[in-house]
Amino acid sequence: MANELSREEYRKNKMAVMKQEEAVKEKNPKSRENKKKEQKTGKSKRRRFPIWLRLIVIIVLMVICLVVGAVIGYSVVGDGKAGDVFEKDTWTHISDLVSKDK
């Protein structure tokens, strides 16, 4: 009997705590706004800028930075022409210089 009463009291206390938490959430204006938005749209919060699109943007920015860095390095630091960076002969010459036997 004692165990059953304690279980019943535990359940009542748990329900009381849950009701208090719900009351706190209702008082919070942000939670009310979120509930209203969900009720209007019928959907939960969605990302405006999806993760897959973020990854594509990052990859594109990395390629742009690589190209700009190569142009600046070859034309400003190396005193070459900026357009020569995009020629195959230039990169063949650079790889020959790097892999040259000593």
Side-chain angles (χ1 to χ4, degrees), residues 51-82:
I51 293 175
W52 61 268
L53 188 58
R54 292 179 193 184
L55 292 174
I56 291 173
V57 168
I58 289 172
I59 291 170
V60 168
L61 289 174
M62 288 173 62
V63 169
I64 290 171
C65 288
L66 180 70
V67 170
V68 169
V71 169
I72 290 173
Y74 191 76
S75 63
V76 176
V77 176
D79 295 329
K81 294 181 183 177

Side-chain angles (χ1 to χ4, degrees), residues 14 18 32 49 69 78:
K14 188 174 181 181
M18 289 173 62
R32 277 189 262 149
F49 199 55

Side-chain angles (χ1 to χ4, degrees), residues 34 37-38 41 43-48:
N34 289 341
K37 286 180 184 177
E38 288 179 10
T41 60
K43 295 181 181 178
S44 62
K45 200 173 185 182
R46 287 187 59 188
R47 296 181 189 268
R48 291 184 184 180

Side-chain angles (χ1 to χ4, degrees), residues 20-35:
Q20 287 176 351
E21 288 176 353
E22 288 177 11
V24 169
K25 286 181 183 178
E26 286 297 322
K27 289 180 182 178
N28 187 356
K30 287 185 179 179
S31 66
R32 277 189 262 149
E33 290 174 9
N34 289 341
K35 283 185 179 181

